[in-house]
Amino acid sequence: MTGFDPSAYGRAIADIYDLTVEDRPPGPAVALIRELAGDGPVLEFGIGTGRLALPLAEDGLSVAGIDGSPEMVEVLHGKRGGHRIPVSVGDFSHLRVAGTFTLVLLAYNTIFALPSQDAQVDCFRNAAAHLAPGGRFVVEAWVPDPGAFRDRSALRLVALAEDRVVVEAGRLFPATQMMRTTKLRMTPEGVRLLPANHRYAWPSELDLMARLAELELEHRWADWSCSPFTDDSRGHVSVYRRP
């Protein structure tokens, strides 16, 4: 964890983050989280600008969050209803907040923002420490695909529209399971560079992390609509339960 700055990503993207997730409507995720959480409360690691937290709160759930970026939290608290969601700023692999929760959420690949396997193991343990008996830890992540890289490098088109083009350049470091990426977001307003580092892990590795935290895999789907998880799935929503 030496040198890890949990606030770095938010500093680079907070002001336009909501624009970068326009093609990810929150409805399916919110519906499933609401079902899994029961009456709540819910704690979201990496709550960001509240893409999921705000509609969950509007649906009547008590929601709290942890995020490494003061800038992202400022955007959240500037939205309608955002000031009512308590957020602690810090590293969600270690930071504890008061209370116990029926569900801890870690969405949109944010588990890979942690810089090492040790940090990810700590994150699972921290989630378990916040859960009431029978509570759930829900993780959304992509499935690693090293075959998409040539000579450990890749360039892919992320989005194409009349008013924007988004391209992502990536470099793979298999020995440490690290991937460094920079997205180039090109719009009439100019070009933005959005860098991010990812310590990727396969679903089976995440399952072992859960077992170390005394959590059990309850469900795994390919998406928030509960599509079956198969050999061709490029992402997963995994639900781990505290006995």
Side-chain angles (χ1 to χ4, degrees), residues 134-199:
R136 295 176 167 102
F137 181 34
V138 180
V139 178
E140 177 194 16
W142 40 264
V143 177
D145 184 16
F149 291 75
R150 182 178 178 86
D151 295 329
R152 297 193 291 113
S153 298
L155 183 67
R156 70 185 182 100
L157 180 65
V158 177
L160 175 64
E162 291 185 357
D163 60 347
R164 64 186 170 104
V165 175
V166 182
V167 177
E168 182 181 66
R171 182 75 168 163
L172 203 64
F173 300 85
T176 53
Q177 291 180 207
M178 290 296 297
M179 183 173 70
R180 296 176 183 170
T181 64
T182 295
K183 288 181 180 176
L184 289 80
R185 180 180 174 85
M186 294 164 276
T187 68
E189 288 74 37
V191 177
R192 286 285 296 269
L193 300 179
L194 306 173
N197 294 325
H198 317 263
R199 193 275 165 182

Side-chain angles (χ1 to χ4, degrees), residues 207-228:
D207 293 348
L208 284 172
M209 295 179 193
R211 289 173 63 184
L212 290 172
E214 300 184 351
L215 299 174
E216 301 172 350
L217 180 65
E218 182 180 32
H219 302 290
R220 172 163 289 134
W221 298 293
D223 52 38
W224 291 108
S225 298
C226 301
S227 302

Side-chain angles (χ1 to χ4, degrees), residues 102 174 230:
T102 64
T230 70

Side-chain angles (χ1 to χ4, degrees), residues 9-142:
Y9 177 74
R11 280 199 303 273
I13 200 173
D15 62 319
I16 63 166
Y17 177 80
D18 290 340
L19 295 176
T20 69
V21 293
E22 286 179 321
D23 60 345
R24 299 180 66 89
V30 170
L32 182 57
I33 295 163
R34 183 71 180 84
E35 179 181 344
L36 294 170
D39 294 329
V42 170
L43 174 65
E44 184 174 3
F45 289 175
I47 194 170
T49 64
R51 182 177 67 95
L52 300 179
L54 283 169
L56 285 169
E58 290 172 1
D59 204 26
L61 282 179
S62 174
V63 182
I66 300 174
D67 201 276
S69 169
E71 293 85 359
M72 297 281 268
V73 176
E74 183 178 0
V75 174
L76 164 61
H77 284 164
K79 296 179 179 179
R80 183 173 64 86
H83 65 282
R84 293 195 292 269
I85 297 178
V87 180
S88 300
V89 176
D91 182 350
F92 57 73
S93 68
H94 290 283
L95 185 62
R96 290 289 306 274
V97 300
T100 56
F101 301 82
T102 64
L103 189 144
V104 175
L105 172 63
L106 185 54
Y108 200 20
N109 317 312
T110 308
I111 183 68
F112 298 154
L114 295 171
S116 66
Q117 185 183 71
D118 285 344
Q120 291 167 353
V121 168
D122 288 341
C123 177
F124 272 79
R125 287 177 172 151
N126 196 32
H130 284 94
L131 288 174
R136 295 176 167 102
F137 181 34
V138 180
V139 178
E140 177 194 16
W142 40 264

